[in-house]
Amino acid sequence: MKESEFNIILIDDNEIDTSVNEKLIKLANLTGNVRTFNSSTQALAFLRENHDQLLPFINVVLLDILMPEMNGFACLKKMASMDEPLKERMCVYMLSSSIDRLDIMKADAEPMVRRVLEKPLDVYLLKKILVELKQEFSQSGKI
Amino acid sequence: MDDEENNLISFQATFRRDYNVWVTQSPQEAAEFIRLNDVHIVIADQKMPEVSGVEFLEMIRYEFQDPIRILLTGYADIEAVIDAINRGQVFRYIQKPWNEGELKVLFDSAYQLYFANKDLRLKNAELARAYSELEKFVYSASHDIKAPIATIQGLVKLAVQESDLAGMRECIDRIDISANKLSFFTNHLLGFYQTLRKPLDYVPVDFSEMWHQTLETARLHENFQFVRMTKEIQQNNTFFCDAEHLKAALMSLVVNSLKYINKSNPESYLAMRILSNESVAIIELEDNVLGLGNSQEQILEMVEGRDWVGSSAAIMVFMIKKIADKLNGQMQFNHPTNGGMTIKLTIPNHK
């Protein structure tokens, strides 16, 4: 897999979780572009400021649900106001340490969310997801 | 209720010394009376022109569950009576001509049944509420337990792949932090529930001493080092309260703030103010924590149990409210979306 096709953006208020996931992703040789943020606000600012740089990539966002200040669902609401071309290239996976029925229902209602993943992050599952995304995007001619 | 006035008059004359008897010939009037008064027993004559006794008792049954329904019949209409009893529309039937002594026995047992039923219904409602509360509590507590476990699981995955000793050591240190966090939380949770089950025992409380003890425990919290604690305690009188419940309330207040403290803000503070007088103690904790990720309204909805989405933020507030309720006190909660929180408890002096 070419490194340049994916950005993996981790958003989680728990610093240990983001750094562990970053290391696990790198150890599994998934991609070179991992960005971590410990708050929704930081992540949204990054997305705003780097719109043009992000646009050619498939942007996989791993978004924690329970966070102070702005929780995962509130963060999604802000992300919904991004422009369409970038939104089409944003694939959001919500992270939760306990898979809750209500969270899944709420996540299903969000067009940008692909799936809810249980913590700790399973990098082999992520690897599989990336392969499928790559297929999907190349079939539709987006990469 | 009977359409024959003479029957009503003789019935009332016989029983008015022992019971409050109210009579009517009209089903509408009867229903209206039951609606407005605390009626224990309803007796209806089977043979009436507008509706039969069974029909009337069946009608009122849907609106008023509590009164015990008795059918009065002189009619050889035994089929209808049996049917009514079997379908649960009627508790008993009285055959005319009635016997005063038998009826008194019957009324006494109906009266007892009335209170037993009512008590059971109240207990059931209480139980249902307690059960749904517990369900929500378990759900949100298990999330707070699961989060550090997931972190530990991630760290273990990383540790087994780590080739150098320093990297592995770092993983183990972080496992230690997460395990301590989990241990602190479960201890707090367990202590809280054990306290809440205990009966209240009012003793004189020394707030300065209690605050000192609270801080001793809070020191073990991972975020304690990031915050400046201040206290202002004014107590010029003897304050009586259950010490364990009060301590659990103080602890929950502090833990709630510590959970959301902004570690990167060097100005993070927790300010405890306790003002105790003859009638009440006002315990107020103010802080400048991050927003909880849910609005004040959402959190109060969760605390009241109407909505429990994104529950983790509400669990401590819920616990504090629970203790305040048990101590006959009140909780006021103020949390602007952009952060900072004030929780104020007003606890009566149980002298």
Coordinates of all heavy atoms in Angstrom, one line a residue, chain A residues 14-17 19-20 23-24 27 66-71 96-98 100 102-103 106 118-123, chain B residues 139 143 146-147 150-151 153-155 157-158 161-162 170 174 177-178 181 260 263 290-294 309-310 312:
Chain A
N14 N -7.8 11.2 25.5 CA -6.8 10.5 26.3 C -5.5 10.4 25.6 O -5.4 9.7 24.6 CB -7.4 9.1 26.6 CG -6.5 8.3 27.6 OD1 -5.3 8.5 27.6 ND2 -7.1 7.4 28.3
E15 N -4.5 11.1 26.2 CA -3.2 11.2 25.5 C -2.5 9.8 25.3 O -1.9 9.5 24.3 CB -2.3 12.1 26.2 CG -2.7 13.6 26.2 CD -2.5 14.3 27.5 OE1 -1.5 14.0 28.1 OE2 -3.5 15.0 27.9
I16 N -2.7 9.0 26.4 CA -2.1 7.7 26.3 C -2.7 6.9 25.1 O -2.0 6.3 24.3 CB -2.3 6.9 27.6 CG1 -1.7 7.6 28.8 CG2 -1.7 5.5 27.5 CD1 -1.7 6.9 30.1
D17 N -4.0 7.0 25.0 CA -4.7 6.2 23.9 C -4.2 6.7 22.5 O -4.0 5.9 21.6 CB -6.2 6.4 24.0 CG -6.8 5.5 25.1 OD1 -6.1 4.8 25.7 OD2 -8.0 5.7 25.3
S19 N -1.4 8.2 21.7 CA 0.0 7.8 21.4 C 0.2 6.3 21.2 O 0.9 5.9 20.3 CB 1.0 8.4 22.5 OG 1.0 7.5 23.6
V20 N -0.6 5.5 22.0 CA -0.5 4.1 21.8 C -1.0 3.7 20.4 O -0.4 2.9 19.6 CB -1.3 3.3 22.9 CG1 -1.5 1.9 22.5 CG2 -0.6 3.4 24.2
K23 N 1.5 4.6 17.7 CA 2.6 3.6 17.6 C 2.1 2.3 17.0 O 2.9 1.7 16.2 CB 3.2 3.4 19.0 CG 4.0 4.6 19.5 CD 4.6 4.3 20.8 CE 5.3 5.5 21.4 NZ 5.5 5.4 22.8
L24 N 1.0 1.8 17.4 CA 0.5 0.6 16.9 C 0.3 0.6 15.4 O 0.6 -0.3 14.6 CB -0.8 0.2 17.6 CG -0.7 -0.4 19.0 CD1 -2.1 -0.5 19.6 CD2 0.0 -1.7 19.1
L27 N 3.7 0.6 13.8 CA 4.3 -0.8 13.9 C 3.6 -1.7 12.8 O 4.3 -2.6 12.4 CB 4.1 -1.3 15.3 CG 5.1 -0.8 16.3 CD1 4.6 -1.2 17.7 CD2 6.5 -1.4 16.1
L66 N -16.7 9.9 23.7 CA -16.8 10.7 24.9 C -15.6 11.5 25.2 O -14.5 11.0 25.5 CB -17.0 9.7 26.1 CG -18.4 9.2 26.4 CD1 -18.4 8.2 27.5 CD2 -19.3 10.4 26.7
M67 N -15.7 12.8 25.0 CA -14.6 13.7 25.2 C -15.1 14.9 25.9 O -16.3 15.3 25.6 CB -14.0 14.1 23.9 CG -13.2 13.0 23.2 SD -12.3 13.7 21.8 CE -13.6 13.9 20.6
P68 N -14.4 15.6 26.8 CA -14.8 16.8 27.4 C -14.8 17.9 26.3 O -14.3 17.8 25.2 CB -13.8 17.1 28.5 CG -12.6 16.3 28.2 CD -13.1 15.1 27.4
E69 N -15.4 19.0 26.6 CA -15.5 20.2 25.8 C -16.4 20.0 24.6 O -17.4 20.6 24.4 CB -14.1 20.7 25.3 CG -13.4 21.5 26.4 CD -12.1 22.1 25.9 OE1 -11.2 21.4 25.6 OE2 -12.1 23.4 25.8
M70 N -15.9 19.1 23.6 CA -16.7 18.8 22.5 C -16.6 17.3 22.2 O -15.6 16.8 21.9 CB -16.2 19.6 21.3 CG -17.1 19.7 20.1 SD -16.3 20.3 18.6 CE -16.0 22.0 19.0
N71 N -17.8 16.7 22.5 CA -17.7 15.2 22.3 C -17.7 14.8 20.8 O -17.8 15.7 19.9 CB -18.8 14.5 23.1 CG -20.2 14.8 22.6 OD1 -20.4 15.0 21.4 ND2 -21.2 14.9 23.5
S96 N -15.3 3.9 20.8 CA -15.9 3.9 22.1 C -15.4 2.7 22.9 O -15.2 1.7 22.3 CB -17.4 3.9 22.0 OG -18.0 3.8 23.3
S97 N -15.1 2.9 24.2 CA -14.6 1.8 25.0 C -15.8 0.8 25.3 O -15.5 -0.3 25.6 CB -13.9 2.3 26.2 OG -14.6 3.3 26.9
S98 N -17.0 1.3 25.3 CA -18.1 0.4 25.5 C -19.1 0.6 24.3 O -19.6 1.8 24.1 CB -18.8 0.6 26.8 OG -19.2 1.9 27.0
D100 N -22.2 1.0 22.8 CA -23.6 1.3 23.3 C -24.6 1.4 22.1 O -24.3 2.0 21.1 CB -23.6 2.6 24.1 CG -25.0 3.0 24.5 OD1 -25.8 2.1 24.9 OD2 -25.3 4.2 24.4
L102 N -27.3 3.0 21.8 CA -27.7 4.4 21.5 C -26.7 5.1 20.7 O -27.0 5.8 19.8 CB -28.0 5.2 22.8 CG -29.4 4.9 23.4 CD1 -29.4 5.5 24.8 CD2 -30.5 5.4 22.6
D103 N -25.4 4.8 21.0 CA -24.3 5.5 20.3 C -24.3 5.0 18.8 O -24.1 5.7 17.9 CB -23.0 5.1 20.9 CG -22.7 5.9 22.2 OD1 -23.4 6.9 22.4 OD2 -21.9 5.5 23.0
K106 N -27.1 6.6 17.0 CA -26.8 8.0 16.7 C -25.7 8.1 15.5 O -25.8 8.9 14.7 CB -26.2 8.7 17.9 CG -27.3 9.4 18.8 CD -26.7 9.9 20.0 CE -26.2 11.3 19.9 NZ -25.7 11.7 21.3
E118 N -14.8 -0.5 18.6 CA -14.6 -0.7 20.0 C -13.1 -0.5 20.3 O -12.2 -0.9 19.6 CB -15.1 -2.0 20.5 CG -15.1 -2.1 22.0 CD -15.8 -3.4 22.5 OE1 -16.3 -4.2 21.7 OE2 -15.8 -3.6 23.7
K119 N -12.9 0.2 21.5 CA -11.5 0.4 21.9 C -11.1 -0.9 22.7 O -11.9 -1.5 23.4 CB -11.4 1.6 22.9 CG -11.4 2.9 22.2 CD -11.1 3.9 23.3 CE -11.3 5.3 22.9 NZ -11.0 6.2 24.0
P120 N -9.9 -1.3 22.7 CA -8.7 -0.7 22.1 C -8.8 -0.9 20.6 O -9.4 -1.8 20.1 CB -7.5 -1.4 22.7 CG -8.1 -2.7 23.1 CD -9.5 -2.5 23.5
L121 N -8.2 0.0 19.9 CA -8.2 0.0 18.4 C -7.5 -1.3 17.9 O -6.4 -1.7 18.4 CB -7.4 1.2 17.8 CG -7.3 1.3 16.3 CD1 -8.7 1.5 15.7 CD2 -6.4 2.4 15.9
D122 N -8.2 -2.0 17.0 CA -7.7 -3.3 16.4 C -7.0 -2.9 15.1 O -7.7 -2.6 14.1 CB -8.9 -4.2 16.2 CG -8.5 -5.5 15.6 OD1 -7.3 -5.6 15.1 OD2 -9.3 -6.5 15.5
V123 N -5.7 -2.8 15.1 CA -5.0 -2.4 13.9 C -5.2 -3.3 12.7 O -5.2 -2.9 11.5 CB -3.5 -2.1 14.1 CG1 -3.2 -0.8 14.7 CG2 -2.9 -3.2 14.9
Chain B
Y139 N -24.8 1.2 33.5 CA -24.3 1.4 32.2 C -23.2 2.5 32.2 O -22.2 2.3 31.6 CB -25.5 1.9 31.3 CG -25.0 2.5 30.0 CD1 -24.5 1.7 29.0 CD2 -25.0 3.9 29.9 CE1 -24.0 2.3 27.9 CE2 -24.5 4.5 28.7 CZ -23.9 3.7 27.7 OH -23.4 4.2 26.6
H143 N -18.9 2.2 31.6 CA -18.1 2.9 30.6 C -16.9 3.4 31.3 O -15.8 3.3 30.8 CB -18.9 4.0 30.0 CG -18.1 4.6 28.9 ND1 -17.1 5.6 29.1 CD2 -18.1 4.4 27.5 CE1 -16.5 5.9 28.0 NE2 -17.1 5.2 27.0
K146 N -14.6 0.6 31.8 CA -14.1 0.0 30.5 C -13.0 0.9 29.9 O -12.1 0.4 29.2 CB -15.3 -0.2 29.6 CG -15.0 -1.0 28.3 CD -14.9 -2.4 28.6 CE -14.1 -3.1 27.5 NZ -14.7 -3.1 26.1
A147 N -13.1 2.2 30.0 CA -12.2 3.1 29.3 C -10.7 2.8 29.7 O -9.9 2.6 28.9 CB -12.6 4.6 29.5
A150 N -9.6 -0.5 28.3 CA -9.2 -0.5 26.9 C -7.8 0.1 26.7 O -7.1 -0.3 25.9 CB -10.3 0.3 26.1
T151 N -7.5 1.2 27.5 CA -6.2 1.8 27.4 C -5.1 0.7 27.8 O -4.1 0.6 27.1 CB -6.1 3.0 28.4 OG1 -7.1 3.9 28.0 CG2 -4.8 3.7 28.3
Q153 N -5.4 -2.5 27.6 CA -5.3 -3.5 26.5 C -4.4 -3.0 25.4 O -3.6 -3.7 24.8 CB -6.7 -3.8 26.0 CG -7.5 -4.7 27.0 CD -8.9 -4.9 26.6 OE1 -9.6 -3.9 26.2 NE2 -9.4 -6.1 26.7
G154 N -4.6 -1.7 25.0 CA -3.8 -1.1 24.0 C -2.3 -1.1 24.3 O -1.5 -1.4 23.5
L155 N -2.0 -0.7 25.6 CA -0.7 -0.7 26.0 C 0.0 -2.1 26.0 O 1.2 -2.2 25.7 CB -0.6 -0.1 27.4 CG -0.8 1.4 27.5 CD1 -1.2 1.9 28.9 CD2 0.5 2.1 27.1
K157 N -0.8 -4.6 24.0 CA -0.6 -4.9 22.6 C 0.8 -4.2 22.1 O 1.5 -4.8 21.4 CB -1.7 -4.3 21.7 CG -2.9 -5.1 21.6 CD -3.8 -4.5 20.6 CE -5.2 -5.1 20.7 NZ -6.1 -4.7 19.6
L158 N 0.9 -3.0 22.6 CA 2.1 -2.3 22.2 C 3.4 -2.9 22.9 O 4.4 -3.1 22.2 CB 2.0 -0.8 22.6 CG 3.1 0.2 22.1 CD1 3.1 0.2 20.6 CD2 2.8 1.6 22.7
Q161 N 5.0 -5.8 21.3 CA 5.7 -5.5 20.0 C 7.0 -4.7 20.3 O 7.8 -4.5 19.4 CB 4.8 -4.8 19.1 CG 3.7 -5.7 18.6 CD 2.8 -4.9 17.6 OE1 3.2 -4.6 16.5 NE2 1.6 -4.7 18.0
E162 N 7.1 -4.1 21.4 CA 8.2 -3.2 21.8 C 9.5 -4.0 21.9 O 9.5 -5.0 22.6 CB 7.8 -2.5 23.1 CG 8.3 -1.1 23.4 CD 8.1 -0.1 22.3 OE1 7.1 0.6 22.2 OE2 9.1 0.0 21.6
E170 N 8.2 2.2 29.5 CA 7.2 3.3 29.3 C 5.8 2.7 29.3 O 4.9 3.3 29.9 CB 7.5 4.1 28.1 CG 6.9 5.4 28.1 CD 6.9 6.1 26.7 OE1 7.9 5.8 26.0 OE2 6.0 6.9 26.4
R174 N 2.7 3.4 32.0 CA 1.4 3.9 31.6 C 0.3 2.9 32.0 O -0.8 3.3 32.3 CB 1.4 4.1 30.1 CG 2.2 5.4 29.8 CD 2.4 5.5 28.4 NE 2.6 6.9 28.1 CZ 2.5 7.4 26.8 NH1 2.2 6.7 25.8 NH2 2.7 8.7 26.6
I177 N -0.5 3.7 35.5 CA -1.3 4.9 35.6 C -2.8 4.6 35.4 O -3.7 4.9 36.2 CB -0.9 6.0 34.6 CG1 0.5 6.6 35.0 CG2 -1.9 7.2 34.6 CD1 1.2 7.5 34.0
S178 N -3.0 3.8 34.3 CA -4.4 3.5 34.0 C -5.0 2.6 35.0 O -6.2 2.7 35.4 CB -4.5 2.8 32.6 OG -4.1 3.7 31.6
K181 N -6.0 4.6 38.0 CA -7.2 5.3 37.7 C -8.4 4.5 37.9 O -9.4 4.9 38.5 CB -7.1 5.8 36.2 CG -8.0 6.8 35.7 CD -7.6 7.2 34.4 CE -8.6 7.9 33.6 NZ -8.1 8.3 32.3
Y260 N -12.5 16.4 35.1 CA -12.6 17.2 33.9 C -11.6 18.4 33.9 O -11.7 19.3 33.1 CB -14.0 17.7 33.7 CG -14.9 16.6 33.3 CD1 -15.7 16.0 34.3 CD2 -14.9 16.2 32.0 CE1 -16.5 14.9 33.9 CE2 -15.8 15.1 31.7 CZ -16.5 14.5 32.6 OH -17.3 13.5 32.3
K263 N -5.6 19.9 32.4 CA -4.3 19.7 32.8 C -3.3 20.7 32.3 O -2.2 20.9 32.9 CB -3.8 18.2 32.5 CG -4.5 17.2 33.4 CD -4.0 15.8 33.0 CE -5.1 15.0 32.4 NZ -4.7 13.7 32.0
L290 N -12.8 22.0 32.2 CA -13.3 22.0 30.8 C -14.8 21.8 30.7 O -15.4 21.3 31.7 CB -12.6 20.8 30.0 CG -11.1 20.8 29.9 CD1 -10.6 19.4 29.5 CD2 -10.6 21.8 28.9
G291 N -15.4 22.1 29.6 CA -16.8 21.7 29.4 C -16.9 20.2 29.5 O -15.9 19.5 29.1
L292 N -18.0 19.7 29.9 CA -18.1 18.3 30.1 C -18.5 17.6 28.7 O -18.6 16.4 28.7 CB -19.2 17.9 31.1 CG -19.1 18.5 32.5 CD1 -20.2 17.8 33.4 CD2 -17.8 18.3 33.0
G293 N -18.6 18.3 27.7 CA -19.0 17.7 26.4 C -20.5 17.6 26.3 O -21.0 17.2 25.2
N294 N -21.2 17.9 27.3 CA -22.7 18.0 27.3 C -23.1 19.3 27.9 O -22.4 19.8 28.8 CB -23.3 16.8 28.1 CG -23.0 15.5 27.4 OD1 -22.0 14.8 27.8 ND2 -23.8 15.1 26.5
V309 N -27.9 9.6 27.4 CA -27.0 9.5 26.3 C -25.7 10.2 26.7 O -25.8 11.3 27.3 CB -27.6 10.1 25.0 CG1 -26.6 9.9 23.9 CG2 -28.9 9.4 24.7
G310 N -24.6 9.7 26.4 CA -23.3 10.3 26.7 C -23.2 10.4 28.2 O -22.8 11.4 28.8
S312 N -21.4 9.3 30.7 CA -20.3 9.3 31.7 C -20.2 10.7 32.4 O -19.8 10.7 33.5 CB -19.0 9.0 30.9 OG -18.0 8.8 31.8

